[in-house]
């Protein structure tokens, strides 16, 4: 689903004001207020910063948006800022743990890059948060890499650490460009925190330069990623499977995993958050699709923005 377009509904509603409202509406879906600088970074058009600050002030004076401390939101709820501050503190600690997880997982065969994704990549965590990871593997070896990593994850259940190893989204070097292009995927890509694989993330962000169409002010974060270092176990397994037999095994693991996840969806099995599990699979990707989350989120965003714009129009009339 492509990013929906929100036409101006009033001559008094400037593009910059509309952009601000759209941005706040998106993050309000997650009850996450934004600072002034963050709003500017996630605007879908480029604007002079002074013009942006002027528009923000006018929306605030009109009562369309609300400010608590240094944060802005469409919801008149001060608790959201308390929640965000607590979440930022928890995230800082969990990101440190994620760094150690990345140091371990990069040693696995065919793993070329690891990044933090999900809510943690946006600097938020709570007591139930997982460490969601975005993994890039070697070309045509995604399913061997994923299978080995998930066999290891089974062991983490024994020590109740499985929430630290949520390896949800995989792509390989063959297909670095994300197929779905919309505001959701643009923000997910732009907020990734690369941990391992400096050169592969250079290539990844270059392959997804289309995100600039949605977030022209947002720079990608690659400086924190470490270079991948060779290791005995990694090199040995890669040597064993870098042949025709290895390619056939990778294809077989893709079919087995795809069939297993299809059965989970058909049986309506749910994840830890009570959402029916689902996964899309292909030779070069494995990505979660819990009950069409992405398309439903985009529809909710569209509806939220429409309501906000109508509210602004009514405020002008009154």
């Amino acid at each position: 689903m492509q990013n929906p377009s929100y036409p101006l509904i009033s001559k008094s509603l400037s593009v910059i004001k509309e952009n601000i409202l759209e941005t706040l509406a998106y993050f309000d879906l997650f009850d996450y207020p934004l600072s002034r600088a963050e709003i500017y970074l996630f605007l879908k058009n480029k604007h002079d910063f002074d013009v942006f600050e002027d528009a923000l002030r006018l929306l605030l004076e009109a009562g369309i948006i609300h400010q608590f401390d240094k944060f802005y939101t469409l919801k008149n709820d001060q608790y959201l800022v308390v929640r965000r501050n607590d979440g930022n503190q928890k995230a800082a600690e969990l990101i440190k743990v994620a760094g150690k997880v990345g140091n371990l997982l990069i040693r696995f065969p065919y793993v070329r890059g690891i990044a933090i994704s999900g809510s943690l990549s946006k600097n938020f965590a709570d007591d139930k948060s997982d460490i969601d990871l975005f993994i890039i593997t070697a070309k045509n070896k995604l399913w061997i890499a994923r299978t080995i990593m998930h066999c290891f994850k089974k062991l983490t259940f024994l020590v109740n650490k499985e929430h630290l190893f949520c390896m949800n989204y995989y792509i390989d070097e063959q297909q670095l460009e994300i197929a779905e292009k919309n505001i959701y995927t643009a923000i997910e890509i732009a907020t990734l925190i690369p941990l391992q694989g400096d050169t592969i993330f250079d290539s990844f962000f270059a392959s997804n330069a289309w995100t600039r169409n949605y977030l022209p002010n947002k720079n990608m974060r690659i400086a924190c990623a470490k270079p991948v270092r060779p290791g005995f176990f990694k090199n040995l397994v890669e040597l064993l499977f870098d042949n025709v037999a290895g390619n056939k095994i990778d294809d077989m693991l893709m079919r087995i995993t795809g069939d297993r996840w299809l059965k989970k969806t058909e049986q309506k099995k749910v994840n830890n958050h009570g959402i029916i599990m689902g996964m899309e699979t292909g030779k070069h990707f494995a990505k979660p699709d819990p009950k069409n989350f992405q398309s439903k989120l985009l529809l909710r965003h569209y509806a939220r923005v429409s309501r906000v714009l109508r509210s602004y129009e009514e405020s002008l009339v009154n």
Side-chain angles (χ1 to χ4, degrees), residues 130 153 156-166 272:
D130 303 323
K153 183 177 179 177
T156 67
F157 280 86
L158 300 176
V159 290
N160 199 30
K161 297 292 185 181
E162 68 277 5
H163 62 289
L164 303 180
F165 298 88
C166 293
N272 294 335

Side-chain angles (χ1 to χ4, degrees), residues 158-227:
L158 300 176
V159 290
N160 199 30
K161 297 292 185 181
E162 68 277 5
H163 62 289
L164 303 180
F165 298 88
C166 293
M167 300 161 285
N168 294 327
Y169 202 125
Y170 286 78
I171 61 172
D172 76 2
E173 294 172 314
Q174 175 72 19
Q175 192 171 307
L176 292 176
E177 183 178 1
I178 301 300
E180 303 88 354
K181 296 176 174 60
N182 52 59
I183 187 61
Y184 171 75
T185 52
I187 289 176
E188 291 303 301
I189 291 169
T191 55
L192 285 174
I193 303 177
L195 299 172
Q196 300 281 346
D198 53 350
T199 57
I200 193 61
F201 274 105
D202 253 337
S203 299
F204 171 76
F205 289 130
S207 298
N208 290 281
W210 58 265
T211 57
R212 293 286 187 180
N213 297 329
Y214 295 86
L215 304 169
N217 303 309
K218 188 77 174 68
N219 294 320
M220 305 301 184
R221 293 186 281 190
I222 58 174
C224 53
K226 300 177 182 177

Side-chain angles (χ1 to χ4, degrees), residues 251-265:
D251 291 340
M252 178 189 68
L253 292 172
M254 177 185 69
R255 290 192 297 271
I256 291 173
T257 307
D259 290 344
R260 185 166 58 85
W261 272 89
L262 181 59
K263 289 179 181 178
K264 286 183 179 182
T265 304

Side-chain angles (χ1 to χ4, degrees), residues 31-132:
D31 290 330
Y32 197 74
L34 299 177
S35 68
R36 179 188 285 105
E38 288 168 339
I39 297 171
Y40 185 76
L41 285 177
F42 288 103
L43 294 177
K44 76 174 185 181
N45 296 110
K46 273 190 170 294
H47 299 281
D48 180 83
F49 195 77
D50 290 336
V51 174
F52 159 74
E53 286 199 311
D54 231 19
L56 191 68
R57 176 180 55 80
L58 291 172
L59 288 171
L60 193 61
E61 290 175 353
I64 301 302
I65 65 176
H66 306 278
Q67 181 181 7
F68 301 102
D69 193 13
K70 62 179 180 179
F71 298 112
Y72 298 83
T73 174
L74 297 178
K75 299 175 180 176
N76 189 12
D77 185 354
Q78 189 170 2
Y79 170 73
L80 295 179
V81 173
V82 176
R83 177 180 179 272
R84 167 165 177 164
N85 286 331
D86 289 344
N88 290 165
Q89 291 178 5
K90 288 184 173 69
E93 293 303 314
L94 203 54
I95 287 173
K96 292 178 183 177
V97 177
K100 296 178 182 178
V101 170
N103 290 340
L104 172 63
L105 294 180
I106 197 62
R107 300 172 184 269
F108 281 64
Y110 298 115
V111 179
R112 300 293 184 260
I114 300 174
I116 300 171
S117 60
S119 60
L120 187 58
S121 71
K122 295 154 193 72
N123 198 33
F124 183 84
D126 58 26
D127 294 333
K128 298 180 180 179
S129 287
D130 303 323
I131 294 179
D132 293 322

